[in-house]
Structure formats: structure tokens, C-alpha cells
């Protein structure tokens, strides 16, 4: 058995730590509306949820956090048809605790609205597209992606600009995988020498 204090073993441990530090978590929890909690959009920002979903990229493993006063609101997941018509009957999912978390487990398009009558008609609804395995996303011409870039919302900031989440592009994931494979190979070589 190798001496755990030998320089070769210490170099191995240092390298393995370095590789682990390089690996990034590729799942994110998104607070729906960012600075705005889940509620009826204001007259100053009536398309807050359309803008919000346009400027975020969602993937399997991510989650949506809806924050709202539980005594005043709720969140329901609905079908596309019920989303368009603001039909609140027969929701696919009903959340009402004020701190509702929706975990994304499959790709596709998801539709949410308030479970309170009249709120959907006031634009308190959200449509998101989740990337499929090949990196493509649904982007119909009538959805949030059809919004002009000049219509981007501007939020007042107290502590400066809000940082964007790190890129989770396929190239980034490939580099993480490559780092892990190289690390495992070097680890095997060092273990063979020790």
C-alpha cells in the first residue's frame, strides 16, 4: 500500500481536488420574475413574465421558484389551450404554499398561470421552453421569443447589475467531461507508479 504522505500521493490528491473544482453545477434554480415576485404584473411592466422567459435558458434539472403570498395567490400548470384561453379548470399541477418549486424533468413547453380567477387575464402567466437533448428549443413565432430585443425590461438595481448565470452550452459540458477523463487518466498513471 502506498504511503499517504508521499509526494506522489499528495500531488495526486491536489490534482484530483483541482479537477473537482473545475466541475461546475449545470442545474439552476430560477426565481420566476427575478426581482418581481409571482403576482399580477404592474402597468409599468405588463409583459414581465414574457420578457423573463425570453431571457432565460432552461434545461432538464433546473427548477422554477414561484414566490407569492399563499393567502392571496397560487400557481397552476395548465395545457397550452388552457393557457391561451385562461381556463383554470383541470390544472395539471396545483401549488399554493407561497414558496412553490417546479422541477424540470423533461424537455418541452410548460405553461403556468395563477390559480386565482382574473389573474391570468391580467397577464399573470408564464410559458417556458426547455431545451431538448440535442440543444434545440421550441420557439414558435407567437411566443416570448418573438418579442423584440428593444423591449427588454429594465430593473432598478441597488447593488449594481445582476450577473448572468454561467453558460451551460454543450461546449462547456464537453470541456468538463474532458477534464474529468484527463484527470482519471492521470490518476490511473500516478496510481500505477505509486
Amino acid at each position: 500500500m502506498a504511503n499517504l504522505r508521499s509526494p506522489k500521493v499528495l500531488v495526486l490528491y491536489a490534482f484530483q481536488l483541482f479537477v473537482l473544482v473545475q466541475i461546475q453545477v449545470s442545474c439552476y434554480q430560477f426565481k420566476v420574475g427575478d426581482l418581481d415576485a409571482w403576482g399580477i404584473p404592474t402597468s409599468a411592466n405588463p409583459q414581465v413574465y414574457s420578457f423573463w422567459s425570453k431571457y432565460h435558458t432552461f434545461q432538464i434539472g433546473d427548477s422554477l421558484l414561484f414566490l407569492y403570498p399563499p393567502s392571496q395567490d397560487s400557481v397552476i400548470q395548465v395545457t397550452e389551450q388552457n393557457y391561451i384561453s385562461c381556463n383554470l379548470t383541470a390544472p395539471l399541477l396545483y401549488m399554493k404554499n407561497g414558496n412553490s418549486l417546479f422541477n424540470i424533468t423533461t424537455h418541452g413547453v410548460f405553461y403556468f398561470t395563477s390559480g386565482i380567477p382574473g389573474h391570468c387575464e391580467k397577464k399573470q402567466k408564464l410559458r417556458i421552453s426547455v431545451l431538448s437533448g440535442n440543444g434545440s428549443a421550441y420557439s414558435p413565432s407567437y411566443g416570448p421569443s418573438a418579442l423584440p430585443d428593444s423591449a427588454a425590461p429594465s430593473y432598478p438595481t441597488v447593488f449594481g447589475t445582476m450577473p448572468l448565470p454561467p453558460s451551460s452550452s454543450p461546449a462547456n459540458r464537453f470541456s468538463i467531461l474532458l477534464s474529468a477523463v484527463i484527470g482519471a487518466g492521470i490518476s490511473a498513471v500516478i496510481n500505477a507508479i505509486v
Side-chain angles (χ1 to χ4, degrees), residues 30-68:
F30 295 94
K31 180 184 169 213
V32 174
D34 290 332
L35 298 177
D36 296 310
W38 179 246
I40 297 172
T42 64
S43 59
N45 198 3
Q47 298 292 326
V48 63
Y49 300 116
S50 295
F51 293 141
W52 183 83
S53 65
K54 178 183 179 190
Y55 292 105
H56 290 82
T57 302
F58 306 100
Q59 60 186 358
I60 294 172
D62 290 343
S63 58
L64 303 176
L65 177 62
F66 295 85
L67 297 176
Y68 52 91

Side-chain angles (χ1 to χ4, degrees), residues 79-159:
T79 64
E80 179 181 16
Q81 191 62 31
N82 287 350
Y83 173 84
I84 293 168
S85 65
C86 288
N87 182 352
L88 306 181
T89 60
L92 303 173
L93 178 66
Y94 180 69
M95 300 179 283
K96 61 178 181 173
N97 69 358
N99 193 19
S100 302
L101 190 66
F102 177 80
N103 295 314
I104 300 170
T105 58
T106 185
H107 69 276
V109 181
F110 297 89
Y111 303 92
F112 303 92
T113 186
S114 170
I116 305 299
H119 287 205
C120 178
E121 291 82 359
K122 295 177 181 175
K123 305 273 190 238
Q124 186 183 355
K125 56 185 185 175
L126 173 69
R127 175 195 172 277
I128 66 163
S129 296
V130 179
L131 296 175
S132 66
N134 64 5
S136 65
Y138 297 99
S139 58
S141 60
Y142 64 85
S145 62
L147 296 171
D149 285 335
S150 62
S154 61
Y155 297 109
T157 56
V158 177
F159 301 108

